[in-house]
Amino acid sequence: MRDFIKQYKKNKSAVLGFFIVVLLIFMAIFAPWIAPHLPADQDLVHRLTPPMWEEGGLHQFFLGTDDFGRDLFSRIIYGARISLMVGAISVGMSLSFGLTMGMLAAYFGGKVDLFIMRIVDIMLSIPAILLAIVVVSILGPSLTNAMIAIGIVGIPTYARVVRASVLTEREKEYVIASRINGSSNMRLMFKVILPNAATPIIVQSTMGFASAVLEAAGLSFLGLGAQPPTPEWGAMLSDSLQFITTAPWMIFYPGLAIFLTVLGFNLMGDGLMDVLDPKLKDK
Amino acid sequence: MFSYILKRLIWTIPTLIGVTIMVFSMVHLAPGDPAVAMLGEKANPQSVKELREQMGLDKPLYTQYYIYMKNVLHGDFGRSANSYEPVWSEFSDRFPATLELASMAMIIATILGVLAGIISAIKRYSIFDYTSMFGALAGVSMPVFWLGLLLIYFFSVKLGWLPVSGRLGYEFDIEHVTGLYLIDSLIAHDYEAFWDAFKHLILPAIALGTIPMAIIARMTRSSMIEVMKEEYIKTARAKGCSRFQVVAIHALRNALMPVVTIIGLMLGSLFAGSILTETTFSWPGIGKWLVNAVYQRDFPVIQSATLIIASMFILINLVVDLLYAVINPKIRLR
């Protein structure tokens, strides 16, 4: 572990990514204490107020307000909760299904493998955002359905990563030894093989978190994810379109929040890849 | 190689069938009656019944799928529930807009991405390398729609250099030959229209091309670094080739092989990526058409758009794979 931290610290961009992610988690947990206003609080007198440092800005609205007079800074802080929730739930969903599918395919091989990987190939043959839109159009637009859609879209990638990783472990001696000792299939799969095959899965989950946040923001931007007045960053950007000439701050900051979050997770994923398995980077 | 091509072709068929099954099931997976969903909750029962019959919803599922596939294979994608226009004609009206946007995005991404990748690889660990590779990582993390909005704000609203949205100014009227305005305006010798179409195209193309550009830059860099370590590069140097010759003739040709593959593979995803870009720039292509159909729950359009985009994606990937097999002896001789 100490080695891991030492190695990780050497990679400056990975450290930057880590700090961004920690900051995001901090914002999400302590949102009610950090945010000066509630995210849905409207102050119609002060609608479209520019950021504090611009002419006409007010100190109580640090990053300005939107068309309903809602404090942008507070909405962005609360938005961190939604992004983290979307990331965690959809990655959790993709991971649990993808892990099971990939594990079964690699462990049992043969027809099971062929069948599962065919489904995976079909899912991968449709671009992610398109598949997500299809799922949302079936279920109806909402944040929950967007999370489900993103969760489903991620399944094949995890299944492939898990399969590849398990395949290399399956024939190793410690697995054979455990099998001879009488371990059941379940034990072999999840207790013996999984911990040793976890590295690429961890890296993929970190990167997957970034794409989940990005896809959720995209769906909300299209009006197919979070609905108003939810302080979701993508939805906030979608609202800002018509104010591009009069209130450009409505564009800058929610987008910056999405960008930094995605960048943070990507940097962290890149760093983890470097430290945990440098060979992966070449693939 | 023949067996490889045959195998690859055969594997495409179940994938395509899988996509049609998925697209076909969409209407049935959606909660509630699809006919009610299309006509609205307050529709009278008679029109719901008629629509159900018209859509064949009263027949068994396998018959419905059979009819659906028969129609699709005959190029009949049904009619839009909203405009009652044939879906195929709506699609073909909009497709050139997306094709023009995606092609321009790919051209920008390829030129800038390959250049940045080469310079980064040659000047490894220099400031340019660090900046461009950090830029590439930032590019991958950039929400396309946000980048689009920033470009509109700076280049259209602030500087007033480029138009905010659309494909062509209202004052221009060019005859549609290919549907690609850049080419149509040249055919009509209307150079003002060409310049205007180009100005409309440039911002959405940059927005759409950013992620592919970042990926191409990273890929070119790592591929170049790999190739520069090869023996034949040392030989070329030893023979006294100039630095330019070594890079441009010996290294680049070999380093670009994986890059060409990734470019091909990204072409397909650009059509999907255009969904967000087209919405941001009000670009009248298939992406915006699909999103509007989702708002209006226009299932025939959603189904067909999904099917067509997914099939294009699959077929482009197939062609790229086959071409790669032709170029790469490792696969060719397998």
Side-chain angles (χ1 to χ4, degrees):
Chain A
M1 188 68 193
R2 199 172 287 169
D3 259 8
F4 168 80
I5 296 173
K6 208 173 149 190
Q7 283 288 322
Y8 190 90
K9 270 187 181 167
K10 275 188 195 164
N11 188 334
K12 286 196 186 85
S13 51
V15 174
L16 175 68
F18 176 76
F19 275 115
I20 295 175
V21 172
V22 169
L23 184 73
L24 190 77
I25 296 171
F26 181 81
M27 264 165 59
I29 296 174
F30 298 102
W33 291 277
I34 306 170
H37 303 266
L38 282 172
D41 268 358
Q42 298 185 6
D43 184 351
L44 292 173
V45 179
H46 293 113
R47 55 194 295 274
L48 301 179
T49 305
M52 194 173 91
W53 56 89
E54 281 185 26
E55 204 186 323
L58 296 165
H59 71 274
Q60 69 265 39
F61 301 118
F62 176 51
L63 295 178
T65 62
D66 64 8
D67 50 322
F68 288 101
R70 293 174 298 198
D71 180 39
L72 266 188
F73 179 61
S74 306
R75 286 177 71 73
I76 289 173
I77 303 261
Y78 275 94
R81 287 184 162 192
I82 294 173
S83 285
L84 282 182
M85 181 180 75
V86 169
I89 292 179
S90 38
V91 167
M93 195 176 148
S94 311
L95 185 61
S96 41
F97 282 96
L99 184 82
T100 316
M101 285 167 73
M103 181 63 90
L104 290 176
Y107 187 81
F108 290 108
K111 282 185 182 158
V112 179
D113 185 23
L114 197 72
F115 178 71
I116 293 178
M117 292 326 282
R118 258 319 70 199
I119 299 175
V120 165
D121 280 350
I122 292 173
M123 288 177 80
L124 277 177
S125 70
I126 303 176
I129 187 84
L130 182 65
L131 189 56
I133 289 176
V134 168
V135 177
V136 171
S137 66
I138 293 170
L139 302 174
S142 76
L143 185 63
T144 315
N145 292 344
M147 282 192 283
I148 296 174
I150 296 162
I152 294 175
V153 166
I155 294 172
T157 320
Y158 288 87
R160 271 204 166 173
V161 170
V162 173
R163 178 178 176 273
S165 182
V166 172
L167 273 181
T168 54
E169 293 297 318
R170 198 181 63 169
E171 302 303 330
K172 287 197 177 157
E173 279 176 5
Y174 70 90
V175 181
I176 298 167
S178 183
R179 183 174 289 145
I180 295 167
N181 273 337
S183 297
S184 65
N185 281 337
M186 282 298 272
R187 189 183 160 77
L188 275 174
M189 281 193 281
F190 294 99
K191 284 257 165 105
V192 179
I193 298 178
L194 187 60
N196 291 293
T199 304
I201 304 171
I202 295 170
V203 173
Q204 175 58 37
S205 304
T206 319
M207 303 278 212
F209 210 103
S211 30
V213 171
L214 201 57
E215 281 159 15
L219 284 177
S220 299
F221 176 75
L222 293 173
L224 306 175
Q227 301 296 315
T230 316
E232 203 278 343
W233 298 332
M236 286 163 73
L237 273 181
S238 172
D239 293 340
S240 74
L241 260 172
Q242 48 185 319
F243 300 101
I244 196 161
T245 47
T246 47
W249 55 90
M250 281 176 69
I251 295 168
F252 298 151
Y253 306 109
L256 189 65
I258 304 171
F259 170 64
L260 288 177
T261 305
V262 177
L263 184 69
F265 278 101
N266 273 338
L267 289 174
M268 215 169 98
D270 237 30
L272 284 175
M273 199 181 334
D274 275 345
V275 179
L276 292 173
D277 193 354
K279 275 181 288 171
L280 268 177
K281 193 139 195 173
D282 301 330
K283 282 183 186 165
Chain B
M1 183 172 80
F2 181 71
S3 69
Y4 172 80
I5 292 177
L6 196 71
K7 212 165 123 190
R8 186 68 182 78
L9 277 173
I10 291 172
W11 273 128
T12 308
I13 297 167
T15 312
L16 279 171
I17 294 175
V19 172
T20 60
I21 293 177
M22 194 198 78
V23 165
F24 167 76
S25 327
M26 269 172 67
V27 176
H28 301 278
L29 287 173
D33 188 330
V36 176
M38 276 183 208
L39 293 172
E41 294 291 334
K42 287 174 187 162
N44 75 54
Q46 183 58 30
S47 29
V48 172
K49 190 168 168 272
E50 275 168 21
L51 186 66
R52 283 184 64 84
E53 279 168 19
Q54 195 192 326
M55 290 170 70
L57 292 170
D58 51 341
K59 296 189 177 70
L61 217 54
Y62 60 87
T63 318
Q64 288 184 41
Y65 179 68
Y66 173 73
I67 297 172
Y68 175 73
M69 279 307 288
K70 205 171 106 186
N71 290 341
V72 165
L73 290 173
H74 283 91
D76 176 8
F77 289 87
R79 283 175 182 272
S80 155
N82 210 40
S83 66
Y84 298 105
E85 286 284 318
V87 172
W88 181 253
S89 95
E90 287 202 347
F91 170 79
S92 34
D93 283 349
R94 287 163 177 81
F95 180 67
T98 303
L99 182 66
E100 194 167 41
L101 174 60
S103 314
M104 183 57 99
M106 207 66 230
I107 292 171
I108 295 175
T110 308
I111 295 174
L112 296 182
V114 168
L115 267 179
I118 295 171
I119 301 174
S120 287
I122 302 171
K123 300 196 178 294
R124 209 172 161 192
Y125 304 128
S126 67
I127 291 178
F128 180 88
D129 183 24
Y130 283 121
T131 321
S132 65
M133 284 308 113
F134 190 81
L137 194 63
V140 178
S141 314
M142 180 73 86
V144 176
F145 44 98
W146 184 53
L147 178 64
L149 291 172
L150 290 180
L151 290 172
I152 293 177
Y153 177 72
F154 286 109
F155 292 99
S156 309
V157 177
K158 270 268 161 187
L159 300 167
W161 289 350
L162 296 162
V164 176
S165 62
R167 281 185 83 190
L168 195 66
Y170 291 112
E171 65 274 28
F172 298 101
D173 185 24
I174 47 173
E175 195 190 343
H176 289 206
V177 183
T178 59
L180 307 170
Y181 284 2
L182 287 184
I183 295 177
D184 285 353
S185 54
L186 285 180
I187 292 174
H189 296 289
D190 188 345
Y191 301 111
E192 267 186 53
F194 175 83
W195 181 235
D196 191 68
F198 182 74
K199 284 203 297 191
H200 276 86
L201 186 57
I202 199 78
L203 290 186
I206 292 175
L208 184 59
T210 302
I211 292 180
M213 180 164 48
I215 298 171
I216 292 172
R218 283 173 71 135
M219 189 89 188
T220 310
R221 178 182 181 272
S222 61
S223 182
M224 275 295 277
I225 289 173
E226 219 34 57
V227 168
M228 294 294 271
K229 286 184 202 151
E230 297 285 339
E231 293 291 325
Y232 58 82
I233 296 293
K234 282 182 200 152
T235 315
R237 279 199 183 129
K239 269 167 48 189
C241 290
S242 70
R243 198 179 158 87
F244 177 79
Q245 274 178 320
V246 171
V247 171
I249 298 170
H250 297 265
L252 194 58
R253 274 171 79 176
N254 292 294
L256 279 188
M257 192 128 81
V259 181
V260 170
T261 320
I262 204 95
I263 289 172
L265 293 177
M266 275 189 307
L267 255 181
S269 46
L270 268 188
F271 285 101
S274 66
I275 295 171
L276 285 161
T277 316
E278 288 181 6
T279 308
T280 313
F281 288 91
S282 297
W283 188 263
I286 45 173
K288 193 164 186 297
W289 177 56
L290 173 65
V291 173
N292 286 341
V294 175
Y295 293 149
Q296 293 156 347
R297 292 184 76 77
D298 188 344
F299 276 107
V301 170
I302 304 174
Q303 279 180 309
S304 311
T306 310
L307 183 61
I308 297 167
I309 301 175
S311 309
M312 270 180 351
F313 186 70
I314 294 168
L315 293 177
I316 291 175
N317 285 359
L318 173 72
V319 173
V320 172
D321 268 7
L322 294 183
L323 281 179
Y324 191 61
V326 174
I327 313 169
N328 191 346
K330 272 187 208 158
I331 296 177
R332 191 169 65 210
L333 300 175
R334 203 188 281 167

PDB file of all heavy atoms in Angstrom, chain B residues 225-241:
ATOM      1  N   ILE B 225       6.171   6.847 -31.023  1.00  0.00           N
ATOM      2  CA  ILE B 225       7.234   6.539 -30.058  1.00  0.00           C
ATOM      3  C   ILE B 225       7.650   5.073 -30.203  1.00  0.00           C
ATOM      4  O   ILE B 225       8.830   4.733 -30.219  1.00  0.00           O
ATOM      5  CB  ILE B 225       6.761   6.842 -28.611  1.00  0.00           C
ATOM      6  CG1 ILE B 225       6.660   8.352 -28.428  1.00  0.00           C
ATOM      7  CG2 ILE B 225       7.703   6.231 -27.575  1.00  0.00           C
ATOM      8  CD1 ILE B 225       6.050   8.795 -27.132  1.00  0.00           C
ATOM      9  N   GLU B 226       6.646   4.230 -30.350  1.00  0.00           N
ATOM     10  CA  GLU B 226       6.877   2.810 -30.520  1.00  0.00           C
ATOM     11  C   GLU B 226       7.733   2.556 -31.774  1.00  0.00           C
ATOM     12  O   GLU B 226       8.740   1.856 -31.729  1.00  0.00           O
ATOM     13  CB  GLU B 226       5.498   2.169 -30.683  1.00  0.00           C
ATOM     14  CG  GLU B 226       5.211   0.836 -30.046  1.00  0.00           C
ATOM     15  CD  GLU B 226       5.885   0.576 -28.735  1.00  0.00           C
ATOM     16  OE1 GLU B 226       5.739   1.344 -27.737  1.00  0.00           O
ATOM     17  OE2 GLU B 226       6.596  -0.412 -28.726  1.00  0.00           O
ATOM     18  N   VAL B 227       7.312   3.149 -32.892  1.00  0.00           N
ATOM     19  CA  VAL B 227       7.980   2.927 -34.172  1.00  0.00           C
ATOM     20  C   VAL B 227       9.412   3.491 -34.168  1.00  0.00           C
ATOM     21  O   VAL B 227      10.325   2.868 -34.721  1.00  0.00           O
ATOM     22  CB  VAL B 227       7.145   3.538 -35.325  1.00  0.00           C
ATOM     23  CG1 VAL B 227       7.935   3.579 -36.619  1.00  0.00           C
ATOM     24  CG2 VAL B 227       5.871   2.747 -35.526  1.00  0.00           C
ATOM     25  N   MET B 228       9.590   4.638 -33.525  1.00  0.00           N
ATOM     26  CA  MET B 228      10.915   5.276 -33.521  1.00  0.00           C
ATOM     27  C   MET B 228      11.969   4.406 -32.831  1.00  0.00           C
ATOM     28  O   MET B 228      13.152   4.619 -32.992  1.00  0.00           O
ATOM     29  CB  MET B 228      10.869   6.654 -32.846  1.00  0.00           C
ATOM     30  CG  MET B 228      10.047   7.699 -33.586  1.00  0.00           C
ATOM     31  SD  MET B 228      10.724   8.177 -35.170  1.00  0.00           S
ATOM     32  CE  MET B 228      11.795   9.514 -34.716  1.00  0.00           C
ATOM     33  N   LYS B 229      11.523   3.410 -32.039  1.00  0.00           N
ATOM     34  CA  LYS B 229      12.481   2.528 -31.355  1.00  0.00           C
ATOM     35  C   LYS B 229      12.929   1.382 -32.269  1.00  0.00           C
ATOM     36  O   LYS B 229      13.832   0.626 -31.929  1.00  0.00           O
ATOM     37  CB  LYS B 229      11.804   1.916 -30.121  1.00  0.00           C
ATOM     38  CG  LYS B 229      11.629   2.863 -28.958  1.00  0.00           C
ATOM     39  CD  LYS B 229      11.041   2.086 -27.793  1.00  0.00           C
ATOM     40  CE  LYS B 229      10.342   3.001 -26.802  1.00  0.00           C
ATOM     41  NZ  LYS B 229       9.257   2.303 -26.120  1.00  0.00           N
ATOM     42  N   GLU B 230      12.252   1.224 -33.403  1.00  0.00           N
ATOM     43  CA  GLU B 230      12.518   0.076 -34.271  1.00  0.00           C
ATOM     44  C   GLU B 230      13.911   0.133 -34.905  1.00  0.00           C
ATOM     45  O   GLU B 230      14.479   1.215 -35.091  1.00  0.00           O
ATOM     46  CB  GLU B 230      11.464   0.006 -35.391  1.00  0.00           C
ATOM     47  CG  GLU B 230      10.051  -0.219 -34.922  1.00  0.00           C
ATOM     48  CD  GLU B 230       9.787  -1.656 -34.467  1.00  0.00           C
ATOM     49  OE1 GLU B 230      10.554  -2.544 -34.867  1.00  0.00           O
ATOM     50  OE2 GLU B 230       8.814  -1.860 -33.708  1.00  0.00           O
ATOM     51  N   GLU B 231      14.355  -1.061 -35.259  1.00  0.00           N
ATOM     52  CA  GLU B 231      15.696  -1.176 -35.853  1.00  0.00           C
ATOM     53  C   GLU B 231      15.804  -0.419 -37.176  1.00  0.00           C
ATOM     54  O   GLU B 231      16.807   0.216 -37.476  1.00  0.00           O
ATOM     55  CB  GLU B 231      16.019  -2.662 -36.098  1.00  0.00           C
ATOM     56  CG  GLU B 231      16.168  -3.488 -34.827  1.00  0.00           C
ATOM     57  CD  GLU B 231      17.423  -3.124 -34.043  1.00  0.00           C
ATOM     58  OE1 GLU B 231      18.420  -2.802 -34.684  1.00  0.00           O
ATOM     59  OE2 GLU B 231      17.371  -3.125 -32.794  1.00  0.00           O
ATOM     60  N   TYR B 232      14.728  -0.515 -38.007  1.00  0.00           N
ATOM     61  CA  TYR B 232      14.838   0.092 -39.325  1.00  0.00           C
ATOM     62  C   TYR B 232      14.949   1.618 -39.264  1.00  0.00           C
ATOM     63  O   TYR B 232      15.431   2.253 -40.179  1.00  0.00           O
ATOM     64  CB  TYR B 232      13.692  -0.347 -40.261  1.00  0.00           C
ATOM     65  CG  TYR B 232      12.299  -0.040 -39.776  1.00  0.00           C
ATOM     66  CD1 TYR B 232      11.743   1.214 -39.944  1.00  0.00           C
ATOM     67  CD2 TYR B 232      11.527  -1.033 -39.183  1.00  0.00           C
ATOM     68  CE1 TYR B 232      10.457   1.481 -39.513  1.00  0.00           C
ATOM     69  CE2 TYR B 232      10.249  -0.775 -38.754  1.00  0.00           C
ATOM     70  CZ  TYR B 232       9.710   0.481 -38.913  1.00  0.00           C
ATOM     71  OH  TYR B 232       8.441   0.751 -38.492  1.00  0.00           O
ATOM     72  N   ILE B 233      14.512   2.191 -38.157  1.00  0.00           N
ATOM     73  CA  ILE B 233      14.660   3.647 -37.991  1.00  0.00           C
ATOM     74  C   ILE B 233      16.142   3.953 -37.739  1.00  0.00           C
ATOM     75  O   ILE B 233      16.719   4.884 -38.295  1.00  0.00           O
ATOM     76  CB  ILE B 233      13.784   4.158 -36.825  1.00  0.00           C
ATOM     77  CG1 ILE B 233      12.300   3.930 -37.142  1.00  0.00           C
ATOM     78  CG2 ILE B 233      14.066   5.626 -36.499  1.00  0.00           C
ATOM     79  CD1 ILE B 233      11.775   4.756 -38.292  1.00  0.00           C
ATOM     80  N   LYS B 234      16.743   3.075 -36.875  1.00  0.00           N
ATOM     81  CA  LYS B 234      18.175   3.241 -36.598  1.00  0.00           C
ATOM     82  C   LYS B 234      18.962   3.098 -37.900  1.00  0.00           C
ATOM     83  O   LYS B 234      19.908   3.840 -38.170  1.00  0.00           O
ATOM     84  CB  LYS B 234      18.645   2.183 -35.591  1.00  0.00           C
ATOM     85  CG  LYS B 234      18.253   2.515 -34.173  1.00  0.00           C
ATOM     86  CD  LYS B 234      18.782   1.457 -33.204  1.00  0.00           C
ATOM     87  CE  LYS B 234      18.000   1.503 -31.901  1.00  0.00           C
ATOM     88  NZ  LYS B 234      17.976   0.211 -31.229  1.00  0.00           N
ATOM     89  N   THR B 235      18.551   2.103 -38.692  1.00  0.00           N
ATOM     90  CA  THR B 235      19.235   1.883 -39.976  1.00  0.00           C
ATOM     91  C   THR B 235      19.123   3.130 -40.856  1.00  0.00           C
ATOM     92  O   THR B 235      20.112   3.579 -41.446  1.00  0.00           O
ATOM     93  CB  THR B 235      18.599   0.680 -40.717  1.00  0.00           C
ATOM     94  OG1 THR B 235      18.422  -0.360 -39.775  1.00  0.00           O
ATOM     95  CG2 THR B 235      19.437   0.240 -41.885  1.00  0.00           C
ATOM     96  N   ALA B 236      17.918   3.654 -40.947  1.00  0.00           N
ATOM     97  CA  ALA B 236      17.696   4.841 -41.780  1.00  0.00           C
ATOM     98  C   ALA B 236      18.585   5.992 -41.314  1.00  0.00           C
ATOM     99  O   ALA B 236      19.203   6.693 -42.120  1.00  0.00           O
ATOM    100  CB  ALA B 236      16.233   5.243 -41.725  1.00  0.00           C
ATOM    101  N   ARG B 237      18.681   6.116 -39.981  1.00  0.00           N
ATOM    102  CA  ARG B 237      19.535   7.189 -39.430  1.00  0.00           C
ATOM    103  C   ARG B 237      20.994   6.933 -39.792  1.00  0.00           C
ATOM    104  O   ARG B 237      21.724   7.843 -40.180  1.00  0.00           O
ATOM    105  CB  ARG B 237      19.385   7.256 -37.910  1.00  0.00           C
ATOM    106  CG  ARG B 237      18.156   8.010 -37.502  1.00  0.00           C
ATOM    107  CD  ARG B 237      18.273   8.465 -36.059  1.00  0.00           C
ATOM    108  NE  ARG B 237      17.049   9.116 -35.664  1.00  0.00           N
ATOM    109  CZ  ARG B 237      16.355   8.817 -34.582  1.00  0.00           C
ATOM    110  NH1 ARG B 237      16.777   7.886 -33.767  1.00  0.00           N
ATOM    111  NH2 ARG B 237      15.268   9.468 -34.302  1.00  0.00           N
ATOM    112  N   ALA B 238      21.385   5.666 -39.611  1.00  0.00           N
ATOM    113  CA  ALA B 238      22.787   5.312 -39.870  1.00  0.00           C
ATOM    114  C   ALA B 238      23.155   5.550 -41.327  1.00  0.00           C
ATOM    115  O   ALA B 238      24.293   5.903 -41.648  1.00  0.00           O
ATOM    116  CB  ALA B 238      23.015   3.847 -39.506  1.00  0.00           C
ATOM    117  N   LYS B 239      22.144   5.347 -42.194  1.00  0.00           N
ATOM    118  CA  LYS B 239      22.392   5.561 -43.621  1.00  0.00           C
ATOM    119  C   LYS B 239      22.541   7.042 -43.953  1.00  0.00           C
ATOM    120  O   LYS B 239      22.866   7.411 -45.081  1.00  0.00           O
ATOM    121  CB  LYS B 239      21.218   4.992 -44.434  1.00  0.00           C
ATOM    122  CG  LYS B 239      21.435   3.548 -44.843  1.00  0.00           C
ATOM    123  CD  LYS B 239      20.176   2.891 -45.362  1.00  0.00           C
ATOM    124  CE  LYS B 239      19.423   3.706 -46.381  1.00  0.00           C
ATOM    125  NZ  LYS B 239      18.112   3.123 -46.686  1.00  0.00           N
ATOM    126  N   GLY B 240      22.234   7.887 -42.986  1.00  0.00           N
ATOM    127  CA  GLY B 240      22.410   9.316 -43.179  1.00  0.00           C
ATOM    128  C   GLY B 240      21.163  10.043 -43.652  1.00  0.00           C
ATOM    129  O   GLY B 240      21.245  11.146 -44.186  1.00  0.00           O
ATOM    130  N   CYS B 241      19.983   9.412 -43.473  1.00  0.00           N
ATOM    131  CA  CYS B 241      18.744  10.115 -43.837  1.00  0.00           C
ATOM    132  C   CYS B 241      18.565  11.335 -42.935  1.00  0.00           C
ATOM    133  O   CYS B 241      18.950  11.309 -41.759  1.00  0.00           O
ATOM    134  CB  CYS B 241      17.535   9.203 -43.622  1.00  0.00           C
ATOM    135  SG  CYS B 241      17.462   7.883 -44.799  1.00  0.00           S
TER     136      CYS B 241
END
